[in-house]
């Protein structure tokens, strides 16, 4: 079965799906994106992702390509046409097609929208075997990492360095020696004193939807946590660490630069939060369902 993409109003097999060489995403990385998990055919935390998309678009002054409701229909249609049960939807909006000049094109130029879906590994029932190793890298990104732009070169280089080191993720460290986030995930610790922490939102990190969903669940469960950043030394001394992202959910971080974090096994807090998020995503209902 050939994969189907939505490209500017049409559903096309991937081999026929194409954008212009003058698309500003291609020329300037002038666009934003979202990755929305799909589980059992349902979009997970769709509202959070569409809120963040609206914010990203607003921050770089691209008009929404269609209404939120219409976009929801397209996302579901792409999932359906690709028969994705477990996997993800990728959507990208760029400033559109125009002669290559840095300032924005004239107002008539419409934003371009591409949506794809693909199957992925099913998230396991328990976090055992789901843990990963990471390396550390200097955070070389720009000063507005809160916008989910398609300009991901530093992230790509950091993740490639991780792969070449036999690790999965790169944990990014700012100039003050503090952890910002992973190259494609937010980072959490249970610190040496037993406090669950993740860095507060701000321009240095992406406001992760999985992070937001988990924080909501922590509130419901009365689990104490602090939105307080931590240093690389804190991470090395942590009892537990884990990542959150649309594709990792809660992913135990067991080794850093070759050394174990805590005892190098999935810790009790990580295990509990994995279970909490698993219950949350399993309970997600698709808006389009009766
Ligand atoms: N990445 N930080 C960065 C830099 C990210 O790229 C991501 C997600 C996150 C986690 O955000 P969320 O929980 O909303 O997925 C944090 C996606 C999955 C990607 O680029 O593939």
């Amino acid at each position: 079965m050939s994969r189907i993409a939505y490209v500017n109003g049409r559903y096309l097999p991937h081999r026929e799906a194409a954008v212009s060489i003058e698309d500003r995403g291609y020329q300037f990385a002038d666009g934003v994106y979202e990755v929305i998990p799909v589980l059992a055919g349902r979009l997970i935390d769709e509202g959070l992702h569409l809120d963040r998309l609206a914010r990203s678009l607003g921050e770089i002054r691209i008009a929404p390509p269609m209404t939120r409701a219409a976009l929801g229909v397209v996302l579901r249609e792409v999932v359906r046409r690709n028969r994705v049960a477990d996997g993800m939807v990728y959507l990208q909006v760029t400033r559109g097609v125009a002669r290559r000049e840095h300032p924005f094109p004239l107002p008539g130029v419409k934003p371009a929208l591409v949506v794809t879906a693909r199957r992925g590994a099913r998230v396991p029932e328990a976090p055992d075997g789901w843990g990963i190793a990471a390396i550390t890298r200097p955070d070389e990104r720009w000063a507005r990492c809160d916008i989910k732009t398609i300009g991901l070169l530093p992230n790509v280089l950091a993740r490639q360095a991780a792969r070449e080191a036999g690790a999965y993720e790169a944990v990014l460290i700012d100039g003050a020696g503090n952890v910002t986030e992973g190259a494609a995930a937010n980072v959490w610790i249970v610190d040496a004193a037993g406090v669950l922490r993740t860095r507060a939102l701000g321009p240095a990190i992406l406001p992760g939807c999985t992070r937001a969903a988990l924080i909501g669940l922590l509130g419901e469960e009365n689990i104490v946590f602090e939105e307080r950043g931590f240093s690389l030394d804190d991470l090395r001394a942590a009892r537990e660490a884990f990542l959150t992202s649309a594709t990792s959910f809660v992913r135990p971080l067991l080794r850093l630069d070759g050394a174990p974090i805590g005892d190098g096994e999935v810790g009790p807090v990580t295990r509990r939060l994995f279970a909490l998020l698993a219950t949350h995503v399993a309970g997600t209902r698709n808006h389009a369902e009766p």
Side-chain angles (χ1 to χ4, degrees):
M1 187 193 88
S2 104
R3 289 176 63 203
I4 302 294
Y6 174 92
V7 185
N8 295 321
R10 297 200 295 162
Y11 296 93
L12 297 168
H14 273 217
R15 63 178 177 281
E16 290 166 34
V19 293
S20 164
I21 57 166
E22 290 205 304
D23 187 288
R24 288 178 63 97
Y26 180 63
Q27 298 283 8
F28 295 114
D30 187 358
V32 298
Y33 77 105
E34 281 295 329
V35 174
I36 308 176
V38 177
L39 284 183
R42 300 189 177 105
L43 299 167
I44 305 300
D45 292 324
E46 178 187 3
L48 293 175
H49 285 276
L50 295 186
D51 286 349
R52 184 172 64 189
L53 176 68
R55 178 179 181 277
S56 295
L57 288 169
E59 290 296 317
I60 67 167
R61 296 162 59 197
I62 293 180
M66 57 176 63
T67 65
R68 194 177 168 110
L71 184 55
V73 170
V74 171
L75 295 175
R76 275 180 194 73
E77 187 60 17
V78 173
V79 169
R80 193 186 68 76
R81 289 189 188 226
N82 288 283
R83 296 192 205 137
V84 173
D86 298 311
M88 53 115 125
V89 178
Y90 175 84
L91 82 89
Q92 172 171 314
V93 182
T94 72
R95 204 179 302 277
V97 176
R99 201 168 86 131
R100 186 183 180 282
E101 292 187 70
H102 289 70
F104 296 175
L106 295 173
V109 173
K110 289 197 171 54
L113 171 64
V114 170
V115 182
T116 58
R118 76 173 191 221
R119 295 175 187 168
R122 208 196 165 101
V123 182
E125 310 259 300
D128 309 281
W130 191 238
I132 53 96
I135 59 167
T136 53
R137 298 286 292 175
D139 193 339
E140 295 173 340
R141 300 173 302 161
W142 72 325
R144 290 302 309 277
C145 295
D146 55 314
I147 305 170
K148 198 163 174 62
T149 86
I150 57 174
L152 290 174
L153 187 52
N155 310 60
V156 165
L157 295 176
R159 276 231 155 167
Q160 178 62 20
R163 178 171 292 179
E164 287 171 9
Y168 174 84
E169 180 59 295
V171 171
L172 305 178
I173 312 297
D174 70 14
N178 293 319
V179 172
T180 52
E181 60 182 334
N186 293 113
V187 182
W188 301 61
I189 58 170
V190 178
D191 70 15
V195 180
L196 176 62
R197 283 159 71 178
T198 195
R199 187 176 171 124
L201 296 184
I205 66 167
L206 188 78
C209 293
T210 321
R211 176 189 182 282
L214 187 60
I215 289 174
L217 297 169
L218 295 176
E220 286 170 21
E221 296 286 316
N222 292 319
I223 298 173
V224 178
F225 100 106
E226 290 181 22
E227 275 185 289
R228 177 159 61 95
F230 46 87
S231 66
L232 173 54
D233 288 342
D234 293 330
L235 174 57
R236 289 206 175 109
R239 292 185 192 175
E240 301 178 35
F242 62 90
L243 309 175
T244 53
S245 83
T247 43
S248 278
F249 292 91
V250 167
R251 173 88 81 167
L253 173 50
L254 302 179
R255 298 183 75 79
L256 190 69
D257 293 330
I261 293 181
D263 62 6
E265 306 286 336
V266 181
V269 177
T270 307
R271 195 173 286 284
R272 182 168 178 208
L273 301 188
F274 181 96
L276 259 185
L277 195 68
T279 306
H280 166 71
V281 300
T284 298
R285 290 281 166 269
N286 194 314
H287 296 179
E289 278 180 7

